[in-house]
Amino acid sequence: MEQSRIRNFCIIAHIDHGKSTLADRLLEVTETVSKRDMAEQLLDSMDLEREKGITIKAAAARMKYVASDGIEYELNLIDTPGHVDFAYEVSRSLAACEGALLVVDASQGIEAQTLANVYLAMNQDLKLIPVLNKIDLPHAEPERVAAELERVVGFDRDEMIMASAKDGTGVTEILEALVERIPPPQGAAAAPLKALIFDSKYDAYKGVVAHVRVFDGQMSGRRNLKLMQTGSVFEPLEFGTFSPAMRPLPGLECGEVGYVATGMKDVADCRVGDTITLVAEPAAEPLPGYRQAKPMVFAGIYPTDSDQYQELRDALAKLVLNDAALVYEPESSVALGFGFRCGFLGLLHLEIVGERLEREYGLSLLTTAPSVEYHVQTTANETILVDNPADLPDPSKIAVISEPWAKIDVITPSRYIGQVMELVTTRRGQFLRMEFLEAESDLAPGEAGVLLEYDVPMAEILVDFYDHLKGSTSGYASLDYQLTDYRPARLVKVDILVNGMPVDALSLITHSSNADREGRTLVTKLKDLIPRQMFDVPIQAAVGGKIIARETIRAMKKNVLAKCYGGDITRKRKLLEKQAEGKKKMKRVGNVEIPQEAFMAVLRLRE
């Protein structure tokens, strides 16, 4: 199709603002999918996506639409993930488009992820079409949200479209706006091939299937193609487009969105953001913006049954085929046995991988407390990367430890400013700025939305920060974060000793000012979780060689005098001394079994 009749766009929104439902209505109205095949959240193919109401993997669909001018247009929709963990995938999907539908919930208004996506889209020079969704809800406030968009983003009131993706209101206006407002692709068909990979997945028969947008040139036939960043060369097996099922085509023209089956066996060889070109006539330089996805959160995954270790290894190998951002390597723990140290893009990514391993592969798993990657400079002037507290060198060999910091944006009703500030301050947050998103007069007093920006150590927001934020703001606050830099800090490793033996899986890295409190809290929790033995079990928290907290699980008592119904006192004393000797021996050779709940106690230190 002529480039002038092609429109490439994506839908960006905060979680649960109706992005996937709007995609369903667009597919339905354009008759891309027949009514018989229609299903809710059609582009969300995974059960987890449907259950959680979020988009995890990017998806694409080509639609044909006859506009009011009587001309048929080709609309290429790229449905992007909405969560901050997948911000890089979102940025590459935006780079593959000329425009975007910005969907905002008419009842909830602008949220942190909305602004983050707006800034990403503006950086890519995309034409934004604001859509106020869910206007059919009884508590919707489209006028208030429209005023918010005018003031914060700078949209004109007349360019906003009022819609309800659920009942189809405004969908035709959205399609007309896509045709009228979004510019067509501007690539050169005669230039050397340049195609951007915005997603990839593994197919058992076709190898890695790369989702691409052709910027210059065209691809067809069996001519060898090359990935410009990794240098991999392959012969294409198949070209095609999504409708939304894969539909083979002879090739892809300049400006089009589709897929190319590479035959490769590893998704890591075909990374998101790479540029495809012809081996015979290569492009001079790749498309900008490529970077390798870097894990930010690390956790140990262990099978609760040691016999499932090989099954866990096979399951991770299969998951990596479809998820290039997941990294793993074998590790062993004295307490937990053999498992894997895995790297994730964020906490949601960790949760999704854990759930998929348990559901799809029938594994029973134990996940250790997540941690971040620290940069440790030793006294020998070497820099080592540490993502597992057990790997931290001896304190005498450490010169400086640097931890990752993130910039967080919190949007909350103004009446909760105090609670949010108190929460972030307790997490060592540094205040940057505060901005009111709308005038107080537009709403009831105290109801203005407020944007708060802070710098916070990444480790402080990893585990329970979001839960506490939602709890302290009655669920109204929204959060977005972005990794900024590494800063030196006074960090220490808190070791937990059970019966005098260190349990590596329970150790944690924390700021020296929090070490005493977190050590005391953890040993108190462990005292309640570890079952009683026939001997006293001391639980200690230590920093270096210094014990900072201790609790003792008292021994279970057995009445050895029950069989003594008479006789001399020496007989009773002899039995008691024999019992005491036995308990001493048990303590020397006894094994304390630590239940799974104990390892989860690290996650609940601040409760």
Side-chain angles (χ1 to χ4, degrees):
M1 186 173 278
E2 294 175 20
Q3 281 195 65
S4 61
R5 292 195 283 145
I6 296 175
R7 301 290 184 271
N8 297 321
F9 72 101
C10 60
I11 307 176
I12 54 177
H14 188 80
I15 290 173
D16 203 31
H17 277 208
K19 178 160 60 74
S20 295
T21 309
L22 179 57
D24 289 348
R25 292 294 81 73
L26 293 174
L27 292 170
E28 192 174 37
V29 172
T30 56
E31 298 181 354
T32 305
V33 179
S34 65
K35 290 192 177 181
R36 185 185 63 185
D37 298 329
M38 202 61 212
E40 287 188 15
Q41 292 175 257
L42 190 70
L43 295 181
D44 294 340
S45 55
M46 291 163 56
D47 289 340
L48 270 175
E49 292 180 308
R50 295 172 186 273
E51 282 177 27
K52 294 179 180 291
I54 57 174
T55 302
I56 296 167
K57 285 290 285 179
R62 177 179 291 188
M63 299 174 284
K64 295 290 178 64
Y65 175 64
V66 179
S68 55
D69 58 9
I71 300 173
E72 185 179 69
Y73 290 87
E74 179 185 298
L75 307 178
N76 290 311
L77 161 64
I78 298 171
D79 189 26
T80 60
H83 197 273
V84 62
D85 286 4
F86 307 108
Y88 174 60
E89 278 191 36
V90 175
S91 75
R92 294 302 85 210
S93 298
L94 294 176
C97 304
E98 280 76 36
L101 293 175
L102 175 65
V103 179
V104 181
D105 190 322
S107 59
Q108 297 182 39
I110 293 177
E111 301 205 41
Q113 193 65 40
T114 314
L115 281 182
N117 286 333
V118 165
Y119 296 146
L120 273 175
M122 286 178 169
N123 288 339
Q124 304 278 5
D125 291 327
L126 263 60
K127 173 63 182 175
L128 289 174
I129 300 173
V131 176
L132 270 63
N133 193 23
K134 303 189 183 181
I135 60 169
D136 59 314
L137 293 180
H139 54 281
E141 300 175 280
E143 292 306 319
R144 175 183 70 82
V145 177
E148 217 172 80
L149 282 168
E150 272 186 292
R151 185 175 179 278
V152 178
V153 188
F155 290 121
D156 291 332
R157 181 66 184 77
D158 56 3
E159 63 179 320
M160 300 179 199
I161 300 172
M162 301 293 171
S164 168
K166 191 173 182 180
D167 62 21
T169 305
V171 174
T172 304
E173 288 90 326
I174 292 170
L175 289 166
E176 289 294 330
L178 289 171
V179 169
E180 292 169 12
R181 301 189 207 173
I182 293 179
Q186 299 297 319
L193 172 65
K194 273 189 191 178
L196 172 72
I197 300 173
F198 62 84
D199 196 18
S200 60
K201 67 177 183 180
Y202 182 77
D203 183 277
Y205 301 102
K206 301 171 185 174
V208 178
V209 177
H211 299 203
V212 298
R213 151 73 197 276
V214 182
F215 276 87
D216 291 320
Q218 57 182 346
M219 53 170 83
S220 60
R222 290 283 186 167
R223 291 186 294 174
N224 281 358
L225 300 175
K226 178 183 178 182
L227 297 167
M228 298 186 75
Q229 298 288 355
T230 62
S232 302
V233 175
F234 64 92
E235 181 184 332
L237 304 180
E238 181 181 291
F239 300 101
T241 186
F242 303 96
S243 63
M246 291 167 67
R247 187 164 60 88
L249 291 174
L252 292 173
E253 302 291 327
C254 184
E256 290 189 327
V257 173
Y259 70 85
V260 53
T262 65
M264 293 179 177
K265 298 302 178 190
D266 191 351
V267 175
D269 295 334
C270 190
R271 293 189 177 274
V272 171
D274 210 337
T275 305
I276 295 178
T277 191
L278 284 167
V279 172
E281 304 166 44
E285 56 186 26
L287 294 162
Y290 171 82
R291 65 179 174 83
Q292 200 162 319
K294 190 173 185 297
M296 293 172 62
V297 175
F298 298 85
I301 294 181
Y302 294 84
T304 53
D305 179 357
S306 58
D307 291 341
Q308 288 190 323
Y309 174 76
Q310 190 58 45
E311 292 173 46
L312 176 58
R313 178 192 287 275
D314 295 341
L316 282 169
K318 288 174 184 173
L319 269 190
V320 168
L321 289 175
N322 275 311
D323 190 350
L326 172 65
V327 296
Y328 69 97
E329 59 182 26
E331 74 167 2
S332 61
S333 158
V334 175
L336 300 175
F338 291 99
F340 294 90
R341 191 75 182 169
C342 302
F344 308 91
L345 295 174
L347 282 180
L348 179 72
H349 192 204
L350 184 157
E351 182 186 341
I352 288 163
V353 169
E355 284 201 34
R356 288 189 67 185
L357 287 171
E358 290 186 343
R359 284 188 191 193
E360 297 174 22
Y361 301 96
L363 299 171
S364 178
L365 302 175
L366 175 66
T367 305
T368 63
S371 67
V372 294
E373 187 175 71
Y374 297 94
H375 291 181
V376 181
Q377 189 173 353
T378 64
T379 49
N381 209 24
E382 292 179 334
T383 300
I384 57 176
L385 306 180
V386 174
D387 58 58
N388 187 349
D391 296 336
L392 198 68
D394 187 88
S396 62
K397 297 179 180 176
I398 298 174
V400 180
I401 303 179
S402 298
E403 63 179 343
W405 280 63
K407 182 173 82 70
I408 66 168
D409 293 337
V410 178
I411 293 181
T412 178
S414 59
R415 66 180 181 274
Y416 297 114
I417 290 175
Q419 290 95 314
V420 173
M421 286 185 160
E422 183 182 354
L423 173 65
V424 182
T425 304
T426 60
R427 304 300 179 101
R428 299 190 283 134
Q430 297 177 0
F431 178 77
L432 295 177
R433 74 183 183 101
M434 178 170 71
E435 179 186 333
F436 283 86
L437 299 182
E438 60 207 46
E440 288 272 354
S441 56
D442 292 345
L443 295 169
E447 284 298 314
V450 178
L451 169 66
L452 295 164
E453 277 189 14
Y454 279 88
D455 274 347
V456 184
M458 191 71 192
E460 296 285 346
I461 63 172
L462 260 192
V463 178
D464 55 359
F465 179 79
Y466 187 67
D467 293 339
H468 281 86
L469 178 67
K470 284 290 187 184
S472 61
T473 60
S474 302
Y476 284 110
S478 59
L479 171 72
D480 180 62
Y481 66 86
Q482 185 178 8
L483 192 68
T484 52
D485 57 358
Y486 276 77
R487 303 181 192 179
R490 292 172 55 211
L491 300 170
V492 294
K493 181 171 83 162
V494 178
D495 284 311
I496 300 298
L497 291 82
V498 177
N499 200 25
M501 297 291 293
V503 183
D504 51 359
L506 288 173
S507 59
L508 58 112
I509 297 173
T510 186
H511 196 265
S512 57
S513 61
N514 298 331
D516 286 5
R517 176 177 57 79
E518 294 191 1
R520 274 195 304 275
T521 306
L522 189 50
V523 296
T524 305
K525 284 181 180 288
L526 291 174
K527 181 187 176 185
D528 297 330
L529 292 169
I530 295 175
R532 293 173 70 188
Q533 310 292 318
M534 295 303 294
F535 52 90
D536 285 354
V537 178
I539 304 173
Q540 300 162 302
V543 174
K546 179 185 174 187
I547 303 298
I548 58 173
R550 173 183 170 129
E551 291 283 351
T552 303
I553 302 172
R554 293 297 171 195
M556 288 192 289
K557 302 227 173 177
K558 182 180 177 183
N559 189 3
V560 293
L561 303 179
K563 58 188 175 183
C564 286
Y565 46 87
D568 193 70
I569 185 69
T570 55
R571 197 167 157 222
K572 292 182 180 179
R573 190 178 294 128
K574 187 177 176 184
L575 284 169
L576 289 169
E577 285 172 359
K578 189 176 178 183
Q579 183 187 40
E581 281 296 319
K583 288 197 172 188
K584 279 183 186 173
K585 185 177 180 183
M586 283 176 73
K587 186 161 186 176
R588 284 198 304 273
V589 300
N591 215 357
V592 181
E593 191 155 318
I594 302 172
Q596 294 182 36
E597 295 80 21
F599 299 101
M600 293 299 99
V602 183
L603 301 175
R604 300 190 295 270
L605 279 179
R606 287 189 170 88
E607 287 182 5

